[in-house]
Amino acid sequence: MINKTINTKDYDLIVIGAGSGGVRAARIAANYGAKVAIIESVRVGGTCVLRGCVPKKLLVYGSHIAHEIEDAVGFGWDIGSIKHNWSKLIKLKDNELDRLNNIYLNLLSKVIIINGFGKIVGNNEVEVNGNIIKAKTILIAVGGKTYFPKLEGIELCINSDQALDLKTLPRSIIINGGGYIALEFAGIFASLGSKVTLVYRGKNILRGFDQDISNFIKEEYIKNNIQVLTETKINSIFKTHKGLSVILSDGQEIISNEVMFATGRVPNINGLGLNEIGIKTGDVGEIIVDDKNQTNIQNIYAIGDVTNRINLTPVAIAEGQVFSDNLFGGMNKICDYENVASAVFSQPAIGVVGLNELEANKLYAEDGGIDIYKTLFKPMKQTLGGRDTKIFIKMIVSKKDNKVLGIHGIGDDMPEIIQICSVAIKAGATKSDFDNTMGIHPTTAEELVTLK
Ligand code: NDP
């Protein structure tokens, strides 16, 4: 982190937190001519760049190569003996993060970057490194942090931040949770050869996703030798000479090299001074804001995961853009949270946009109901590749007006495909629009325009 000299104590805007949302807001405000400071206690980049999306996806790419090597044999490649070097991958990933950190620093060339922990001490005042700095407007963009449930031995467990920096590939790992992070890391470790056990307290992993997606990814993970234990909790963890002893709610003991908790994230509000100055927060500590990102204190705003709306990088970036366009660009925008597509970079990957079957059934029950179209097929690559994996796609359509309400899929290319489907859904595309579109053959995506 470069600590630029603070040559003034008065700003138009102080942003606390230099993650994706904060950086976007600071950069755009400065481009409009505002005098902006951004305070960051770690490095510029935030969760997405340093501890989330980017390093995770690099490890997904790195680990997925194991499947491609397996496929290669079916296409005539003589692979011989090859092995993976985990610590090398971690080092290369870290080099890339340094490069991105520099890009982020360059993006902030018109912004004063202050390395330290910011605490709001007045409506216009932030304390950092023992100095008080003042601003007309304060933007809180501090993101979220890992949540660990309280249980015996939790201090022996790692979170996703630590999983991204492990010195060696664990021979075995238990991952607690059934959400995005649990599934993504289960895929990474399993593909690289760790023995993975996924422990989930509920019945269906990926709660909130379409039921078919939840069932299908579970089947795929079991095929990939991941042990999936549902309706199971971790009761306690102990250190033994054989490794970590994990006692499950059914009394079973599993010994594992590592235990990772991916049990959700919470707003990162500790020490920010919110209570002292009376900023309203909700049940999990999220800062309550209106549709213009304004808190109950007129000149204090919040964006991104700390507001716990839709906790995704592109959403935080959009909120940062809207904030600065409104405040410093004289616009009157609000963020559009409808049909936000998302992906789980499991292996195979998941892409979803719009309503799932349960939600659509409820919403459209008195409005004509819904039609469901599904396809399940073997990817063409696997006719020779030979791996036992399938692709699944599901489309939900309103009976009344033929509008596509949701698309859900699993397959390696699904995040890329769903991103473009989200444009069609936002544009109000009907099933007939999809049907009237020529496919590109042979692709996975053509299935979407030939669904019967
Ligand atoms: P999620 O909310 O997706 O999943 C948390 C999981 O932990 C759920 O399965 C939940 O179970 C379980 N859980 C929660 N509390 C406990 C507990 N006390 N004991 C046992 N299990 C528990 O959170 P993640 O940590 O996976 O990810 C955090 C957020 O980060 C995501 O919601 C997403 O917004 C974002 N993210 C997005 C990614 C992407 O876009 N690809 C990738 C990674 C993260 P239950 O279902 O029963 O509540």
Side-chain angles (χ1 to χ4, degrees), residues 53 56 147-151 176-184 199-202 204-207 232-234 261-265 305 310-313 342-345:
C53 322
K56 173 274 311 284
Y147 161 74
F148 277 115
K150 286 190 177 55
L151 51 89
N176 193 19
Y180 284 83
I181 296 181
L183 284 169
E184 294 181 339
V199 177
Y200 176 53
R201 65 181 178 183
N204 303 304
I205 53 176
L206 284 180
R207 182 167 62 82
T232 307
K233 284 186 182 168
I234 292 181
F261 271 69
T263 41
R265 295 175 63 83
D305 288 7
I310 300 181
N311 297 335
L312 298 172
T313 300
S342 79
V344 184
F345 294 97

Short mmCIF file of all heavy atoms in Angstrom, two decimals, residues 53 56 147-151 176-184 199-202 204-207 232-234 261-265 305 310-313 342-345, ligand 1:
data_model
loop_
_atom_site.label_atom_id
_atom_site.label_comp_id
_atom_site.label_asym_id
_atom_site.label_seq_id
_atom_site.Cartn_x
_atom_site.Cartn_y
_atom_site.Cartn_z
N CYS A 53 -13.22 -13.45 -5.34
CA CYS A 53 -13.46 -13.84 -6.73
C CYS A 53 -12.19 -14.14 -7.53
O CYS A 53 -12.09 -15.19 -8.18
CB CYS A 53 -14.20 -12.74 -7.48
SG CYS A 53 -15.45 -11.89 -6.52
N LYS A 56 -9.80 -17.01 -6.07
CA LYS A 56 -10.60 -18.24 -6.13
C LYS A 56 -10.69 -18.74 -7.56
O LYS A 56 -10.46 -19.91 -7.85
CB LYS A 56 -11.99 -17.94 -5.52
CG LYS A 56 -13.04 -19.01 -5.61
CD LYS A 56 -13.85 -19.03 -6.88
CE LYS A 56 -14.45 -17.75 -7.35
NZ LYS A 56 -15.62 -17.28 -6.67
N TYR A 147 -17.90 -15.43 8.81
CA TYR A 147 -18.60 -15.74 10.07
C TYR A 147 -18.25 -17.17 10.48
O TYR A 147 -18.39 -18.11 9.71
CB TYR A 147 -20.11 -15.60 9.85
CG TYR A 147 -20.92 -16.32 10.90
CD1 TYR A 147 -21.01 -15.80 12.19
CD2 TYR A 147 -21.56 -17.53 10.63
CE1 TYR A 147 -21.73 -16.47 13.17
CE2 TYR A 147 -22.28 -18.20 11.60
CZ TYR A 147 -22.35 -17.67 12.88
OH TYR A 147 -23.05 -18.33 13.85
N PHE A 148 -17.78 -17.31 11.71
CA PHE A 148 -17.51 -18.63 12.29
C PHE A 148 -18.53 -18.88 13.39
O PHE A 148 -18.64 -18.06 14.31
CB PHE A 148 -16.14 -18.66 12.98
CG PHE A 148 -14.96 -18.90 12.10
CD1 PHE A 148 -13.99 -17.92 11.92
CD2 PHE A 148 -14.77 -20.14 11.49
CE1 PHE A 148 -12.87 -18.15 11.13
CE2 PHE A 148 -13.65 -20.37 10.70
CZ PHE A 148 -12.71 -19.38 10.52
N PRO A 149 -19.28 -19.98 13.35
CA PRO A 149 -20.15 -20.27 14.50
C PRO A 149 -19.30 -20.58 15.73
O PRO A 149 -18.14 -20.98 15.58
CB PRO A 149 -20.95 -21.49 14.05
CG PRO A 149 -20.27 -22.03 12.87
CD PRO A 149 -19.34 -21.00 12.31
N LYS A 150 -19.89 -20.41 16.91
CA LYS A 150 -19.12 -20.69 18.14
C LYS A 150 -19.24 -22.18 18.43
O LYS A 150 -20.34 -22.68 18.65
CB LYS A 150 -19.70 -19.90 19.31
CG LYS A 150 -19.37 -18.44 19.24
CD LYS A 150 -19.74 -17.72 20.53
CE LYS A 150 -19.34 -16.25 20.47
NZ LYS A 150 -19.88 -15.53 19.34
N LEU A 151 -18.13 -22.88 18.40
CA LEU A 151 -18.14 -24.27 18.84
C LEU A 151 -16.75 -24.70 19.24
O LEU A 151 -15.75 -24.04 18.91
CB LEU A 151 -18.77 -25.21 17.78
CG LEU A 151 -18.29 -25.16 16.35
CD1 LEU A 151 -17.14 -26.11 16.16
CD2 LEU A 151 -19.44 -25.59 15.45
N ASN A 176 -17.28 -27.10 5.96
CA ASN A 176 -18.60 -26.96 6.56
C ASN A 176 -19.36 -25.84 5.86
O ASN A 176 -18.86 -24.71 5.78
CB ASN A 176 -18.46 -26.65 8.06
CG ASN A 176 -19.77 -26.80 8.79
OD1 ASN A 176 -20.69 -27.47 8.30
ND2 ASN A 176 -19.88 -26.20 9.96
N GLY A 177 -20.56 -26.13 5.37
CA GLY A 177 -21.36 -25.13 4.66
C GLY A 177 -21.84 -25.71 3.35
O GLY A 177 -21.24 -26.67 2.82
N GLY A 178 -22.91 -25.14 2.83
CA GLY A 178 -23.45 -25.64 1.57
C GLY A 178 -23.74 -24.51 0.61
O GLY A 178 -24.62 -24.60 -0.24
N GLY A 179 -22.98 -23.41 0.75
CA GLY A 179 -23.21 -22.24 -0.10
C GLY A 179 -22.14 -22.10 -1.17
O GLY A 179 -21.43 -23.06 -1.51
N TYR A 180 -22.04 -20.88 -1.70
CA TYR A 180 -21.09 -20.58 -2.79
C TYR A 180 -19.67 -21.03 -2.43
O TYR A 180 -19.02 -21.76 -3.18
CB TYR A 180 -21.01 -19.07 -3.01
CG TYR A 180 -22.14 -18.41 -3.73
CD1 TYR A 180 -23.30 -18.04 -3.06
CD2 TYR A 180 -22.03 -18.09 -5.07
CE1 TYR A 180 -24.33 -17.39 -3.71
CE2 TYR A 180 -23.04 -17.43 -5.74
CZ TYR A 180 -24.20 -17.08 -5.05
OH TYR A 180 -25.20 -16.43 -5.71
N ILE A 181 -19.18 -20.52 -1.29
CA ILE A 181 -17.76 -20.71 -0.98
C ILE A 181 -17.46 -22.18 -0.72
O ILE A 181 -16.46 -22.72 -1.19
CB ILE A 181 -17.34 -19.81 0.20
CG1 ILE A 181 -17.51 -18.32 -0.20
CG2 ILE A 181 -15.90 -20.09 0.63
CD1 ILE A 181 -17.12 -17.31 0.86
N ALA A 182 -18.34 -22.85 0.02
CA ALA A 182 -18.13 -24.27 0.33
C ALA A 182 -18.02 -25.08 -0.96
O ALA A 182 -17.10 -25.89 -1.13
CB ALA A 182 -19.27 -24.78 1.19
N LEU A 183 -18.93 -24.83 -1.89
CA LEU A 183 -18.93 -25.62 -3.14
C LEU A 183 -17.73 -25.31 -4.02
O LEU A 183 -17.14 -26.19 -4.64
CB LEU A 183 -20.22 -25.40 -3.90
CG LEU A 183 -21.39 -26.16 -3.27
CD1 LEU A 183 -22.70 -25.73 -3.86
CD2 LEU A 183 -21.22 -27.65 -3.46
N GLU A 184 -17.37 -24.03 -4.05
CA GLU A 184 -16.23 -23.66 -4.90
C GLU A 184 -14.94 -24.27 -4.38
O GLU A 184 -14.14 -24.83 -5.15
CB GLU A 184 -16.14 -22.13 -4.99
CG GLU A 184 -17.34 -21.55 -5.74
CD GLU A 184 -17.35 -20.05 -5.90
OE1 GLU A 184 -16.66 -19.34 -5.16
OE2 GLU A 184 -18.06 -19.57 -6.78
N VAL A 199 -19.84 -30.90 4.67
CA VAL A 199 -20.82 -31.12 5.74
C VAL A 199 -21.81 -29.97 5.71
O VAL A 199 -21.43 -28.80 5.82
CB VAL A 199 -20.11 -31.16 7.12
CG1 VAL A 199 -21.13 -31.32 8.24
CG2 VAL A 199 -19.09 -32.29 7.16
N TYR A 200 -23.08 -30.29 5.52
CA TYR A 200 -24.10 -29.24 5.42
C TYR A 200 -25.26 -29.53 6.37
O TYR A 200 -25.76 -30.64 6.41
CB TYR A 200 -24.59 -29.13 3.96
CG TYR A 200 -25.72 -28.14 3.81
CD1 TYR A 200 -25.58 -26.84 4.29
CD2 TYR A 200 -26.94 -28.51 3.24
CE1 TYR A 200 -26.61 -25.93 4.18
CE2 TYR A 200 -27.97 -27.60 3.12
CZ TYR A 200 -27.80 -26.30 3.60
OH TYR A 200 -28.82 -25.39 3.52
N ARG A 201 -25.68 -28.49 7.09
CA ARG A 201 -26.70 -28.68 8.12
C ARG A 201 -28.09 -28.93 7.55
O ARG A 201 -28.94 -29.53 8.19
CB ARG A 201 -26.74 -27.47 9.05
CG ARG A 201 -27.16 -26.18 8.38
CD ARG A 201 -27.16 -25.03 9.38
NE ARG A 201 -27.51 -23.77 8.74
CZ ARG A 201 -27.52 -22.60 9.37
NH1 ARG A 201 -27.19 -22.53 10.63
NH2 ARG A 201 -27.86 -21.50 8.72
N GLY A 202 -28.36 -28.44 6.35
CA GLY A 202 -29.70 -28.56 5.77
C GLY A 202 -29.83 -29.80 4.89
O GLY A 202 -28.92 -30.61 4.78
N ASN A 204 -30.89 -29.66 1.48
CA ASN A 204 -30.49 -29.41 0.10
C ASN A 204 -29.41 -28.33 0.05
O ASN A 204 -29.67 -27.20 0.47
CB ASN A 204 -31.68 -28.93 -0.73
CG ASN A 204 -32.81 -29.93 -0.68
OD1 ASN A 204 -32.63 -31.10 -1.02
ND2 ASN A 204 -33.97 -29.50 -0.20
N ILE A 205 -28.22 -28.71 -0.46
CA ILE A 205 -27.15 -27.71 -0.55
C ILE A 205 -27.60 -26.58 -1.48
O ILE A 205 -28.55 -26.72 -2.24
CB ILE A 205 -25.81 -28.34 -1.02
CG1 ILE A 205 -25.98 -29.12 -2.33
CG2 ILE A 205 -25.21 -29.19 0.05
CD1 ILE A 205 -24.67 -29.66 -2.88
N LEU A 206 -26.90 -25.46 -1.41
CA LEU A 206 -27.24 -24.26 -2.17
C LEU A 206 -28.69 -23.83 -1.92
O LEU A 206 -29.48 -23.68 -2.87
CB LEU A 206 -27.00 -24.46 -3.68
CG LEU A 206 -25.55 -24.42 -4.14
CD1 LEU A 206 -25.47 -24.64 -5.64
CD2 LEU A 206 -24.84 -23.12 -3.78
N ARG A 207 -29.01 -23.66 -0.67
CA ARG A 207 -30.37 -23.24 -0.31
C ARG A 207 -30.70 -21.93 -1.05
O ARG A 207 -29.86 -21.03 -1.14
CB ARG A 207 -30.47 -23.01 1.20
CG ARG A 207 -31.84 -22.62 1.68
CD ARG A 207 -31.93 -22.73 3.18
NE ARG A 207 -31.02 -21.84 3.88
CZ ARG A 207 -31.26 -20.56 4.12
NH1 ARG A 207 -32.39 -20.00 3.72
NH2 ARG A 207 -30.38 -19.82 4.77
N THR A 232 -26.35 -32.62 8.62
CA THR A 232 -25.28 -32.97 9.56
C THR A 232 -24.59 -31.69 10.01
O THR A 232 -24.39 -30.77 9.22
CB THR A 232 -24.23 -33.88 8.84
OG1 THR A 232 -24.92 -34.97 8.25
CG2 THR A 232 -23.18 -34.39 9.80
N LYS A 233 -24.23 -31.67 11.29
CA LYS A 233 -23.50 -30.50 11.81
C LYS A 233 -22.18 -30.94 12.38
O LYS A 233 -22.01 -32.10 12.74
CB LYS A 233 -24.30 -29.85 12.94
CG LYS A 233 -25.48 -29.05 12.46
CD LYS A 233 -26.12 -28.35 13.62
CE LYS A 233 -27.34 -27.58 13.16
NZ LYS A 233 -28.15 -27.12 14.26
N ILE A 234 -21.26 -29.99 12.47
CA ILE A 234 -20.01 -30.28 13.19
C ILE A 234 -20.24 -29.86 14.64
O ILE A 234 -20.63 -28.73 14.91
CB ILE A 234 -18.83 -29.51 12.56
CG1 ILE A 234 -18.54 -30.08 11.16
CG2 ILE A 234 -17.61 -29.58 13.46
CD1 ILE A 234 -17.37 -29.43 10.45
N PHE A 261 -14.37 -23.59 7.44
CA PHE A 261 -15.75 -23.14 7.62
C PHE A 261 -16.10 -22.13 6.53
O PHE A 261 -15.39 -21.14 6.34
CB PHE A 261 -15.95 -22.54 9.02
CG PHE A 261 -16.34 -23.58 10.02
CD1 PHE A 261 -15.43 -24.54 10.42
CD2 PHE A 261 -17.64 -23.64 10.52
CE1 PHE A 261 -15.79 -25.54 11.32
CE2 PHE A 261 -18.02 -24.63 11.42
CZ PHE A 261 -17.10 -25.59 11.82
N ALA A 262 -17.17 -22.44 5.81
CA ALA A 262 -17.69 -21.51 4.79
C ALA A 262 -19.15 -21.29 5.15
O ALA A 262 -20.06 -21.65 4.41
CB ALA A 262 -17.53 -22.12 3.41
N THR A 263 -19.31 -20.74 6.34
CA THR A 263 -20.66 -20.63 6.92
C THR A 263 -21.20 -19.21 6.82
O THR A 263 -21.91 -18.74 7.71
CB THR A 263 -20.62 -21.11 8.38
OG1 THR A 263 -19.43 -20.61 9.00
CG2 THR A 263 -20.62 -22.61 8.48
N GLY A 264 -20.85 -18.55 5.74
CA GLY A 264 -21.43 -17.24 5.48
C GLY A 264 -20.51 -16.10 5.88
O GLY A 264 -19.45 -16.31 6.48
N ARG A 265 -20.92 -14.91 5.49
CA ARG A 265 -20.14 -13.71 5.79
C ARG A 265 -21.06 -12.68 6.43
O ARG A 265 -22.26 -12.69 6.18
CB ARG A 265 -19.50 -13.15 4.51
CG ARG A 265 -18.46 -14.11 3.91
CD ARG A 265 -17.92 -13.61 2.58
NE ARG A 265 -17.22 -12.35 2.70
CZ ARG A 265 -15.95 -12.22 3.06
NH1 ARG A 265 -15.22 -13.30 3.35
NH2 ARG A 265 -15.37 -11.04 3.14
N ASP A 305 -21.18 -5.01 0.38
CA ASP A 305 -21.54 -6.10 1.30
C ASP A 305 -21.88 -5.62 2.70
O ASP A 305 -22.61 -6.30 3.43
CB ASP A 305 -20.39 -7.12 1.40
CG ASP A 305 -20.24 -7.96 0.14
OD1 ASP A 305 -20.93 -7.68 -0.86
OD2 ASP A 305 -19.42 -8.90 0.15
N ILE A 310 -27.41 -7.43 -2.16
CA ILE A 310 -26.96 -8.60 -2.95
C ILE A 310 -25.44 -8.56 -2.90
O ILE A 310 -24.82 -7.63 -3.43
CB ILE A 310 -27.47 -8.53 -4.41
CG1 ILE A 310 -29.01 -8.51 -4.43
CG2 ILE A 310 -26.94 -9.72 -5.21
CD1 ILE A 310 -29.61 -8.46 -5.83
N ASN A 311 -24.85 -9.55 -2.21
CA ASN A 311 -23.41 -9.48 -1.92
C ASN A 311 -22.57 -10.02 -3.07
O ASN A 311 -21.99 -11.10 -2.97
CB ASN A 311 -23.11 -10.21 -0.62
CG ASN A 311 -23.80 -9.55 0.55
OD1 ASN A 311 -24.11 -8.36 0.51
ND2 ASN A 311 -24.07 -10.31 1.59
N LEU A 312 -22.54 -9.27 -4.14
CA LEU A 312 -21.75 -9.67 -5.31
C LEU A 312 -20.95 -8.46 -5.79
O LEU A 312 -21.44 -7.32 -5.71
CB LEU A 312 -22.66 -10.14 -6.45
CG LEU A 312 -23.52 -11.39 -6.16
CD1 LEU A 312 -24.51 -11.63 -7.29
CD2 LEU A 312 -22.66 -12.63 -5.94
N THR A 313 -19.75 -8.71 -6.29
CA THR A 313 -18.86 -7.62 -6.72
C THR A 313 -19.53 -6.67 -7.73
O THR A 313 -19.49 -5.45 -7.53
CB THR A 313 -17.57 -8.21 -7.34
OG1 THR A 313 -16.95 -9.00 -6.33
CG2 THR A 313 -16.64 -7.15 -7.84
N SER A 342 -26.05 -14.80 -11.34
CA SER A 342 -24.87 -15.15 -10.55
C SER A 342 -24.37 -16.53 -10.93
O SER A 342 -25.08 -17.31 -11.58
CB SER A 342 -25.14 -15.04 -9.05
OG SER A 342 -25.83 -16.16 -8.58
N ALA A 343 -23.15 -16.79 -10.51
CA ALA A 343 -22.53 -18.08 -10.84
C ALA A 343 -21.89 -18.65 -9.60
O ALA A 343 -21.40 -17.91 -8.75
CB ALA A 343 -21.47 -17.89 -11.92
N VAL A 344 -21.90 -19.96 -9.50
CA VAL A 344 -21.10 -20.64 -8.49
C VAL A 344 -20.01 -21.36 -9.28
O VAL A 344 -20.33 -22.17 -10.16
CB VAL A 344 -21.94 -21.68 -7.70
CG1 VAL A 344 -21.10 -22.31 -6.60
CG2 VAL A 344 -23.21 -21.05 -7.14
N PHE A 345 -18.76 -21.05 -8.96
CA PHE A 345 -17.68 -21.68 -9.73
C PHE A 345 -17.31 -23.03 -9.12
O PHE A 345 -16.16 -23.30 -8.76
CB PHE A 345 -16.49 -20.71 -9.86
CG PHE A 345 -16.86 -19.52 -10.70
CD1 PHE A 345 -17.26 -18.32 -10.11
CD2 PHE A 345 -16.89 -19.62 -12.08
CE1 PHE A 345 -17.65 -17.24 -10.89
CE2 PHE A 345 -17.27 -18.54 -12.87
CZ PHE A 345 -17.65 -17.35 -12.27
P1 NDP B 1 -23.59 -18.60 1.79
O1 NDP B 1 -24.58 -17.77 2.50
O2 NDP B 1 -23.68 -18.81 0.34
O3 NDP B 1 -23.54 -20.04 2.47
C1 NDP B 1 -23.35 -20.19 3.85
C2 NDP B 1 -23.55 -21.64 4.18
O4 NDP B 1 -23.20 -21.87 5.53
C3 NDP B 1 -25.01 -22.07 4.01
O5 NDP B 1 -25.00 -23.35 3.46
C4 NDP B 1 -25.52 -22.05 5.44
O6 NDP B 1 -26.56 -22.97 5.67
C5 NDP B 1 -24.30 -22.49 6.20
N1 NDP B 1 -24.29 -22.01 7.58
C6 NDP B 1 -24.54 -20.76 8.02
N2 NDP B 1 -24.41 -20.71 9.38
C7 NDP B 1 -24.10 -21.94 9.78
C8 NDP B 1 -23.86 -22.53 11.05
N3 NDP B 1 -23.92 -21.81 12.17
N4 NDP B 1 -23.58 -23.85 11.11
C9 NDP B 1 -23.53 -24.60 9.97
N5 NDP B 1 -23.74 -24.10 8.74
C10 NDP B 1 -24.02 -22.79 8.64
O7 NDP B 1 -22.20 -17.98 2.22
P2 NDP B 1 -20.73 -18.21 1.69
O8 NDP B 1 -19.88 -18.10 2.89
O9 NDP B 1 -20.62 -19.41 0.85
O10 NDP B 1 -20.54 -16.94 0.76
C11 NDP B 1 -20.81 -15.65 1.26
C12 NDP B 1 -21.38 -14.78 0.19
O11 NDP B 1 -20.34 -14.38 -0.67
C13 NDP B 1 -22.40 -15.46 -0.73
O12 NDP B 1 -23.69 -15.42 -0.22
C14 NDP B 1 -22.28 -14.66 -1.99
O13 NDP B 1 -23.09 -13.54 -1.87
C15 NDP B 1 -20.82 -14.26 -1.98
N6 NDP B 1 -20.03 -15.12 -2.88
C16 NDP B 1 -20.28 -15.12 -4.21
C17 NDP B 1 -19.54 -15.91 -5.06
C18 NDP B 1 -19.83 -15.91 -6.51
O14 NDP B 1 -20.48 -15.00 -6.99
N7 NDP B 1 -19.37 -16.91 -7.26
C19 NDP B 1 -18.47 -16.78 -4.57
C20 NDP B 1 -18.32 -16.73 -3.15
C21 NDP B 1 -19.05 -15.92 -2.35
P3 NDP B 1 -28.11 -22.62 5.36
O15 NDP B 1 -28.28 -22.81 3.90
O16 NDP B 1 -28.84 -23.64 6.17
O17 NDP B 1 -28.32 -21.23 5.82
#
